[in-house]
Amino acid sequence: MSFNINDKGFYGAFGGAYIPEMLYPNVEELCQNYLKIMSDPSFKKEFDQLLKDYVGRPSPLYFAKRLSEKYNTKIYLKREDLNHTGAHKINNTIGQILMAQRLGKTRIIAETGAGQHGVATATVCALMGLECIVYMGEIDIARQAPNVARMKMLGAEVRPALSGSRTLKDATNEAIRDWINNPLNTHYIIGSVVGPHPYPDMVARFQAVVSEEIKWQLQEKEGREKPDYVIACVGGGSNAAGAFYHYLDDTDVKLIAVEAAGKGIHSGESAATSILGKEGIIHGSKTLLMQTQDGQITEPYSISAGLDYPGVGPMHAHLYKTGRAEFISITDDQAMTAGLELSQLEGIIPAIETSHALAILNDKKFNNNDVLVINLSGRGDKDLQNYIDYFKL
Ligand SMILES: *Cc1c(COP(=O)(O)O)cnc(C)c1O
């Protein structure tokens, strides 16, 4: 069995491109060209150069000594938090802006929930001098003022989505509408391994640099390329896809995907998509999503804005269904405690999304000679107010 995408754009039963006919030309253009463009040596050269000089790659693989002592196992942290703009999302937006240029596009659109993907997109648009419009729910604009300010500072236009619940899914609908109306000059930068084929595969390939680096870094430090476990948090699934990518078909490397249980899996306020989700179609892709009996998408909840998504990418739906990856869900409280612990044991304040991945150290027992790689997807500066309020610091 392969855990990678097949030539029809599916991971097992999941994926594909379930899109309105009006969107077909845009998606088809990307589908026909993305692999060709990515394998062009000039593309690869420019992508690698920007990852090195602009993003600051390779990100370190750091042996967390005090954390390892506490849990009596060997823990390495892949430091995506040290990237420019503070998370893994920039790996994807760099790749997609180069893709857009090669396709002759001059205008970029994106959707954003918490604003992190909006900032990463506005950043690469400034870098390349391209027009940037970011759709964002009106409610999210009010909740995420610092990221709205960042996008404006970077020269992007932030357009409020005023329909529905005025959050991420409504912003996505607006972005899709825009793309239908501007098929020739516009590229839509999707922020995770979600959306119609080829997005999940394209984004996974851009994020795959994470596991490509882990392999040689672990070889240097441990004398082997393969850890026993790779652990990552999952919202849409892009940082996990990147950390898992080069180990997908290596079944002696165990994969752990960590979802947000919010206030508890069965509390009605969570984002534990694979565990609670049923098969359905969201944003052009067949996958697992949280829905009511009659198929209405359920509003997700998590204390971390980046995990607050009602679906999960099709790669992860497949990893879940086949049992290739173990899915664990972590509550708000468990995550916040783990975030504080990493801060005080290692001097690293993680994003709350990442704190979910760290929290499994308290949840699952590892052996003392196990080698774990935890993907430290982002830094916690953006979440400081949340931590302060939670711990009454
Ligand atoms: C956006 C975000 C996530 C969740 O997105 P994925 O696509 O699942 O990786 C996780 N961590 C951080 C720091 C983020 O900004």
Side-chain angles (χ1 to χ4, degrees):
M1 191 182 339
S2 169
F3 297 97
N4 228 307
I5 198 149
N6 69 20
D7 56 7
K8 303 229 163 36
F10 281 83
Y11 298 88
F14 302 103
Y18 299 84
I19 50 173
E21 203 171 306
M22 308 263 286
L23 211 56
Y24 186 78
N26 311 31
V27 172
E28 187 57 21
E29 181 187 30
L30 197 57
C31 227
Q32 291 302 326
N33 291 291
Y34 82 108
L35 289 177
K36 218 181 317 173
I37 290 173
M38 282 182 76
S39 61
D40 178 12
S42 83
F43 180 94
K44 212 175 154 4
K45 183 160 174 241
E46 198 176 351
F47 184 53
D48 290 347
Q49 191 80 47
L50 284 170
L51 288 184
K52 178 167 179 273
D53 296 336
Y54 188 73
V55 176
R57 305 202 71 90
S59 67
L61 183 69
Y62 164 69
F63 176 63
K65 185 162 170 287
R66 300 224 305 141
L67 194 66
S68 297
E69 275 164 10
K70 164 142 197 212
Y71 290 99
N72 197 24
T73 189
K74 270 188 156 174
I75 304 166
Y76 286 90
L77 303 174
K78 181 60 173 160
R79 299 291 309 274
E80 294 299 296
D81 60 313
L82 294 177
N83 292 341
H84 179 46
T85 69
H88 65 290
K89 287 192 172 73
I90 191 87
N91 304 324
N92 169 46
T93 56
I94 292 272
Q96 285 204 50
I97 202 84
L98 295 178
M99 182 68 59
Q101 286 181 321
R102 301 291 195 286
L103 291 168
K105 309 293 178 181
T106 55
R107 182 175 175 271
I108 299 296
I109 56 171
E111 85 297 332
T112 197
Q116 293 302 108
H117 173 57
V119 170
T121 302
T123 300
V124 297
C125 287
L127 176 68
M128 297 301 178
L130 296 187
E131 184 185 355
C132 181
I133 293 145
V134 179
Y135 289 93
M136 189 168 185
E138 194 182 30
I139 301 265
D140 290 334
I141 289 179
R143 286 196 290 207
Q144 309 288 346
N147 277 339
V148 175
R150 280 187 192 105
M151 287 184 265
K152 289 184 175 162
M153 180 91 189
L154 292 161
E157 181 192 339
V158 181
R159 284 196 194 158
L162 305 171
S163 64
S165 56
R166 293 172 292 152
T167 57
L168 177 61
K169 78 175 162 45
D170 312 290
T172 305
N173 292 339
E174 293 293 332
I176 290 173
R177 203 163 301 149
D178 181 311
W179 207 22
I180 288 172
N181 291 328
N182 299 282
L184 292 180
N185 66 347
T186 298
H187 175 70
Y188 178 13
I189 299 191
I190 293 183
S192 190
V193 286
V194 300
H197 177 66
Y199 278 99
D201 184 47
M202 179 170 70
V203 176
R205 286 170 188 263
F206 290 141
Q207 292 292 358
V209 64
V210 175
S211 48
E212 195 181 304
E213 289 173 5
I214 293 171
K215 283 176 82 171
W216 64 257
Q217 289 173 321
L218 202 63
Q219 178 69 43
E220 268 180 22
K221 292 179 198 299
E222 288 287 326
R224 55 167 158 138
E225 287 188 340
K226 298 180 197 178
D228 296 294
Y229 292 89
V230 182
I231 298 154
C233 65
V234 171
S238 68
N239 86 86
F244 293 170
Y245 196 85
H246 289 282
Y247 299 114
L248 281 173
D249 291 328
D250 251 328
T251 46
D252 42 346
V253 179
K254 298 181 207 74
L255 309 176
I256 301 181
V258 186
E259 291 185 316
K263 296 183 175 161
I265 295 186
H266 300 293
S267 65
E269 291 187 77
S270 93
T273 313
S274 358
I275 288 151
L276 295 174
K278 290 196 213 44
E279 208 173 297
I281 288 168
I282 183 170
H283 302 143
S285 174
K286 189 192 280 183
T287 188
L288 294 171
L289 64 132
M290 304 202 309
Q291 50 189 303
T292 58
Q293 290 287 353
D294 48 357
Q296 294 294 325
I297 293 169
T298 317
E299 202 59 41
Y301 164 81
S302 163
I303 193 167
S304 100
L307 302 184
D308 191 352
Y309 181 68
V312 67
M315 174 199 280
H316 299 289
H318 184 54
L319 294 176
Y320 176 73
K321 278 289 175 189
T322 55
R324 170 67 185 96
E326 181 181 359
F327 281 69
I328 295 178
S329 41
I330 290 294
T331 63
D332 289 356
D333 293 336
Q334 291 174 295
M336 295 306 269
T337 303
L340 185 65
E341 180 179 84
L342 187 75
S343 305
Q344 301 190 350
L345 277 181
E346 296 288 347
I348 299 169
I349 302 174
I352 299 177
E353 291 85 355
T354 315
S355 295
H356 286 72
L358 295 160
I360 74 151
L361 294 168
N362 260 313
D363 208 66
K364 188 176 164 77
K365 191 89 191 85
F366 297 96
N367 294 327
N368 61 0
N369 56 351
D370 280 340
V371 172
L372 280 57
V373 174
I374 302 179
N375 199 27
L376 213 76
S377 58
R379 67 175 89 121
D381 309 31
K382 69 181 177 65
D383 297 317
L384 224 44
Q385 194 58 50
N386 245 329
Y387 281 125
I388 288 168
D389 292 346
Y390 185 88
F391 291 110
K392 308 201 168 35
L393 298 174

